[in-house]
């Protein structure tokens, strides 16, 4: 298949290009587009056949439901059957933005989108390109992250091309995404609000509005628990080709152990990288590729692209230090715990 690549201005997307992509969506084709979190692989959420193409292209298990992206609150009423007061408060505070809200669904949304669940996950993205596309298509857009299932999520059009060039109708290229981790997912479909996936909006921010918020075990990825409510959480995710070892514990101890392990693996002849999260001081180690992020914000933004880059460099072992779960820390730890092949506690 020929893939049309449309290079657009991330702040002021050219309308004529967005219209081309919107028309492809309306015709049932797949279009990859940037959001402020990661790139999404979009289809018309009302079109069952189009949405099926997403599962096929990604190799996504059919029991993993897809988030629906909207442009206006009016569209929320077209797809959700019950909208509690809290949902409107959250929408007012965080939309457009990196927050996904789970609500009881209307029949308008085909079962394939929600993996037969009676609920639908909805988000209003903030990125100017995503907004323009939703507006021009005048449709809710079903879009998971635009990566082959299991791989690190795409934070640039280059990543999307690696996975989908020649396999989908269109890729909108607007450079790098800003937040770098997927949206926060909060379930408002039952009595008590539950945080299912931490992301760009932090648990602390949510608790200011949802005082009763429960942080589900899957949000921490502490155990390999899975729940029927959010089936996507049971799959290993975000994983690089390299073996990823996560060292958890008190900051200084975890850091020291991560350095020690990286040195050992390098000495044993393996191509080794050390990923340092929220570490202020520079570090150089012999025969170890060191990638350092000095803040949680920059770690979130660059984590997935760092994993892809290390794979490109042929790295065999990546050792990474765990961090505290405050603020963006929870989302970063969730991704690392789900991406790693080994977890060590010190
Ligand atoms: P991704 O598309 O890769 O960003 O993943 C979307 C996440 O949202 C997955 O963890 C899904 O399981 C979750 N999700 C989507 N729709 C629902 C829903 N109706 N109920 C619960 N979780 C959902
Ligand atoms: Mg994904």
């Amino acid at each position: 298949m020929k893939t049309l690549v449309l290079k657009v201005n991330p702040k002021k997307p050219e309308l004529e290009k967005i219209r081309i992509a919107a028309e492809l969506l309306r015709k049932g084709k797949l279009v990859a587009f940037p959001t402020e979190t990661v790139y999404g692989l979009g289809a018309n959420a009302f079109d069952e056949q189009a949405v099926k193409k997403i599962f096929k292209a990604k190799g996504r298990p059919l029991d993993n439901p897809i988030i629906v992206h909207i442009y206006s609150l009016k569209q929320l009423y077209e797809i959700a059957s019950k909208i509690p007061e809290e949902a409107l408060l959250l929408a007012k505070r965080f939309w457009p933005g990196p927050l996904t809200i789970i609500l009881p669904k209307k029949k308008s949304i085909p079962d394939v989108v929600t993996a037969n669940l009676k609920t639908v996950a909805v988000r209003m993205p903030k990125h100017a390109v995503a907004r323009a596309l939703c507006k021009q298509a005048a449709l809710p857009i079903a879009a998971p992250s635009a990566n082959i299932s299991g791989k690190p999520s795409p934070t640039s059009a280059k990543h999307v091309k690696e996975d989908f060039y020649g396999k989908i109708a269109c890729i909108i290229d607007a450079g790098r995404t800003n937040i770098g981790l997927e949206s926060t997912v909060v379930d408002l479909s039952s009595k008590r609000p539950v945080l299912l996936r931490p992301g760009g909006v932090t648990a602390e921010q949510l608790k200011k509005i949802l005082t009763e918020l429960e942080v589900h075990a899957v949000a921490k990825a502490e155990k390999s628990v899975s729940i029927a409510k959010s089936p996507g959480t049971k799959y290993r995710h975000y994983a690089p080709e390299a073996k990823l070892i996560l060292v958890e514990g008190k900051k200084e101890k975890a850091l020291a152990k991560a350095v020690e392990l990286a040195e050992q693996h390098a000495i044993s002849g393996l191509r080794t990288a050390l990923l340092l999260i929220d570490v202020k001081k520079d570090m150089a180690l012999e025969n170890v590729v060191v990638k350092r992020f000095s803040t949680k914000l920059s770690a979130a933004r660059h984590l997935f692209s760092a994993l892809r880059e290390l794979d490109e460099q042929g790295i065999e072992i990546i050792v990474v230090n765990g961090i505290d779960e405050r603020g963006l820390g929870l989302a970063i730890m969730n991704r690392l715990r789900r991406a790693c092949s080994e977890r060590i506690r010190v």
Side-chain angles (χ1 to χ4, degrees):
M1 184 188 298
K2 197 171 157 16
T3 301
L4 176 69
V5 177
L6 298 169
K7 231 179 161 20
V8 305
N9 182 319
K11 297 250 161 63
K12 285 190 179 159
E14 298 80 354
L15 195 56
E16 65 282 8
K17 293 186 186 170
I18 297 298
R19 283 199 174 130
I20 295 171
E23 192 49 35
L24 289 169
L25 283 174
R26 297 188 68 82
K27 283 187 182 146
K29 312 268 189 205
L30 300 189
V31 174
F33 62 97
T35 79
E36 69 276 21
T37 59
V38 301
Y39 272 73
L41 182 59
N44 173 0
F46 290 145
D47 182 341
E48 183 181 349
Q49 295 310 319
V51 173
K52 279 187 178 160
K53 289 181 193 166
I54 297 179
F55 285 92
K56 189 152 179 261
K58 278 182 62 94
R60 185 178 176 98
L62 279 167
D63 68 354
N64 191 1
I66 295 180
I67 295 169
V68 177
H69 297 73
I70 58 172
Y71 165 75
S72 66
L73 267 189
K74 189 170 156 260
Q75 286 180 306
L76 182 63
Y77 290 88
E78 289 168 14
I79 60 181
S81 63
K82 208 170 131 206
I83 303 170
E85 178 69 23
E86 285 102 329
L88 295 173
L89 289 174
L90 288 181
K92 194 160 175 235
R93 170 72 181 80
F94 297 109
W95 279 1
L99 178 70
T100 297
I101 306 175
I102 293 172
L103 296 168
K105 88 177 194 61
K106 272 197 174 161
K107 283 209 180 81
S108 60
I109 293 293
D111 289 336
V112 63
V113 173
T114 63
N116 293 315
L117 294 175
K118 298 274 173 274
T119 54
V120 61
V122 193
R123 169 162 113 83
M124 190 188 288
K126 188 172 185 166
H127 196 293
V129 174
R131 278 184 74 69
L133 186 64
C134 287
K135 187 176 179 191
Q136 290 305 316
L139 288 167
I141 301 177
S145 50
N147 53 289
I148 300 289
S149 267
K151 279 223 223 173
S153 297
T155 53
S156 76
K158 175 177 172 276
H159 302 153
V160 181
K161 285 177 203 161
E162 281 163 14
D163 286 3
F164 294 115
Y165 192 81
K167 294 185 185 145
I168 60 175
C170 177
I171 297 171
I172 305 181
D173 179 350
R176 281 170 183 266
T177 61
N178 182 31
I179 295 169
L181 296 181
E182 301 84 349
S183 61
T184 301
V185 178
V186 62
D187 184 1
L188 292 186
S189 69
S190 29
K191 273 210 181 98
R192 206 173 149 199
V194 185
L195 176 65
L196 293 177
R197 178 174 77 181
V201 172
T202 65
E204 292 89 339
Q205 285 176 304
L206 286 176
K207 279 178 184 165
K208 287 194 180 144
I209 291 175
L210 305 172
T211 45
E212 299 271 88
L213 183 72
E214 174 195 339
V215 178
H216 197 282
V218 293
K220 293 195 171 219
E222 258 305 349
K223 294 174 258 166
S224 58
V225 279
S226 72
I227 45 166
K229 265 181 163 262
S230 197
T233 51
K234 75 180 174 226
Y235 297 104
R236 181 158 179 246
H237 236 85
Y238 322 116
E241 306 281 331
K243 181 176 175 192
L244 180 66
I245 304 173
L246 170 62
V247 185
E248 293 194 46
K250 283 244 157 56
K251 190 167 181 181
E252 293 310 318
K253 263 184 142 179
L255 198 56
K257 184 71 183 173
V259 171
E260 182 193 321
L261 280 176
E263 282 178 323
Q264 280 171 5
H265 284 295
I267 288 169
S268 76
L270 289 168
R271 276 172 296 202
T272 306
L274 176 65
L275 207 54
L276 297 172
I277 314 272
D278 199 15
V279 172
K280 307 284 180 244
K281 221 173 85 195
D282 231 344
M283 198 179 290
L285 298 178
E286 211 169 325
N287 295 323
V288 175
V289 175
V290 180
K291 262 191 194 289
R292 183 176 64 88
F293 304 114
S294 57
T295 60
K296 288 175 180 169
L297 197 66
S298 69
R301 192 172 288 164
H302 301 294
L303 177 65
F304 289 138
S305 60
L307 294 178
R308 283 185 182 245
E309 272 167 35
L310 293 172
D311 274 346
E312 265 173 33
Q313 291 172 26
I315 294 292
E316 294 162 289
I317 298 271
I318 306 170
V319 188
V320 58
N321 66 298
I323 55 168
D324 70 80
E325 293 178 341
R326 288 190 301 271
L328 278 175
L330 184 63
I332 293 169
M333 288 308 290
N334 167 289
R335 304 309 187 274
L336 288 176
R337 285 173 182 145
R338 295 184 60 202
C340 71
S341 26
E342 195 180 331
R343 273 170 76 182
I344 294 174
R345 277 208 158 272
V346 287

